[in-house]
Amino acid sequence: MDRREAEIKEILTKISSKDLIGAEMQDSKLIYSVVGFIQASDGVDNALLISNLGYLLAQKGLNTCIVDLKVFYPNLHHYVDATPPKKGEGLIKVLKSDKIDLREELIVTKYERLYLLSPSPQDLLEEYFDFNFEQIERVITILKQTFDIVLVDIPNNPPLEFCLGAMRSCHLGFFTAAERMEAVINMVKLLDFASSVGISTAKFTSIILMNLHHIDFDVSVMKDMGFNIVAALPFVKDGVARSNKGKLYVKDNPLFNRQFIKEIQRLAAQLAAQ
């Protein structure tokens, strides 16, 4: 048995509240255990936010799974320094069949209690066109029952089922936006479209401002449209540089940007306490 097989064998005891493989899984104790993040403008790096936030939640003792639903351009595996699935494995495999053990398709990261479910970068684009809401929701439901908290990177592509299906399955959602005027327009258009097909949009009214350069930007328009700004993360050059090397900014960094750390730790504390 190689190292990966040994780690996979131990996942059940790490992430399940039951010891027996055939035992019924229990829902997370958190009220909002499935949290989605949608990019609302250019100049935003969801993967940087989700990977660092996932690590902080795992450090709080929560068994955490981050899910990359950007099926056309998955990149979260880079940010946690993990090897992506081979072609036909990972996310697409569990979507295709409900007989596949999802635990065998999880990527065990090098961080304790932090796992990743990702598509393979080698998968063909057309392979993802025919999945429906039910298949996507089935996978998210299994993750919800297995992990304490699930962080989902949702593509802002309304015609794609992975966008609307994930929005419908999330308990709580955040838009991530930079100092761009089109951010508000993009958020309103997506929510209007989602509402027109029967998806509740009330859970996606919170905004995380990211990569701020302290431009003279009027954020009041966001508040006027009914959105709530819950965090504001400045652009940190070293954070981007470390992510390009597969390293987390919030871990083992001798020099931190205080505002970035304060905001992301506050966000992690709110998610862990709800």
Side-chain angles (χ1 to χ4, degrees):
M1 181 181 294
D2 59 21
R3 177 176 175 272
R4 174 170 173 77
E5 289 176 341
E7 289 175 333
I8 291 294
K9 187 176 181 180
E10 293 177 359
I11 286 180
L12 179 62
T13 58
K14 291 180 180 179
I15 65 179
S16 175
S17 58
K18 297 286 187 177
D19 292 328
L20 301 178
I21 293 179
E24 181 180 359
M25 294 180 180
Q26 297 180 341
D27 288 343
S28 168
K29 294 181 180 180
L30 296 181
I31 298 175
Y32 305 114
S33 61
V34 181
V35 185
F37 300 83
I38 305 177
Q39 183 172 321
S41 70
D42 293 333
V44 176
D45 194 343
N46 268 14
L48 187 150
L49 170 66
I50 294 172
S51 57
N52 282 276
L53 187 60
Y55 171 78
L56 292 176
L57 290 168
Q59 289 299 296
K60 293 180 179 295
L62 297 174
N63 294 309
T64 306
C65 183
I66 54 180
V67 184
D68 198 341
L69 288 187
K70 303 187 305 299
V71 293
F72 299 152
Y73 43 93
N75 65 343
L76 267 167
H77 58 275
H78 289 300
Y79 287 75
V80 292
D81 194 22
T83 302
K86 297 179 181 179
K87 183 178 179 180
E89 298 183 357
L91 176 65
I92 196 169
K93 192 171 181 179
V94 296
L95 284 169
K96 286 182 175 180
S97 174
D98 58 2
K99 300 184 185 302
I100 299 297
D101 189 344
L102 183 143
R103 293 166 299 186
E104 295 181 357
E105 304 307 318
L106 292 171
I107 296 174
V108 182
T109 74
K110 61 185 179 181
Y111 307 110
E112 187 177 2
R113 291 185 295 275
L114 182 62
Y115 303 86
L116 170 66
L117 180 63
S118 171
S120 171
Q122 300 175 353
D123 291 338
L124 300 177
L125 300 185
E126 56 267 28
E127 292 185 279
Y128 288 99
F129 290 150
D130 296 329
F131 291 114
N132 55 41
F133 283 178
E134 288 70 26
Q135 292 166 299
I136 296 166
E137 291 174 351
R138 170 177 55 80
V139 173
I140 293 179
T141 297
I142 296 173
L143 291 171
K144 176 183 68 174
Q145 294 172 336
T146 307
F147 289 92
D148 294 318
I149 191 165
V150 181
L151 307 181
V152 187
D153 194 352
I154 304 174
N156 191 337
N157 187 353
L160 186 67
E161 302 287 49
F162 288 94
C163 175
L164 297 181
M167 289 181 69
R168 189 164 79 166
S169 298
C170 285
H171 298 140
L172 180 66
F174 297 95
F175 278 107
T176 56
E179 296 154 312
R180 303 286 189 274
M181 287 308 300
E182 68 270 18
V184 176
I185 298 174
N186 292 341
M187 288 187 289
V188 171
K189 288 175 65 176
L190 176 55
L191 293 183
D192 284 347
F193 180 71
S195 179
S196 71
V197 294
I199 295 175
S200 173
T201 58
K203 53 193 171 185
F204 278 93
T205 57
S206 296
I207 300 175
I208 300 172
L209 295 176
M210 288 192 62
N211 291 342
L212 300 183
H213 290 80
H214 302 293
I215 300 172
D216 185 14
F217 178 73
D218 185 10
V219 297
S220 63
V221 65
M222 296 181 176
K223 298 177 181 179
D224 292 342
M225 295 301 294
F227 294 103
N228 178 37
I229 299 173
V230 297
L233 305 176
F235 174 77
V236 180
K237 183 178 180 180
D238 187 44
V240 177
R242 290 175 70 86
S243 67
N244 289 337
K245 299 177 182 179
K247 298 180 180 180
L248 298 175
Y249 181 68
V250 297
K251 182 180 184 298
D252 302 330
N253 195 344
L255 296 175
F256 287 114
N257 180 295
R258 291 184 179 180
Q259 183 182 353
F260 184 97
I261 295 299
K262 177 182 177 181
E263 292 289 292
I264 197 169
Q265 286 183 341
R266 182 167 60 85
L267 186 59
Q270 290 176 350
L271 290 177
Q274 45 84 16

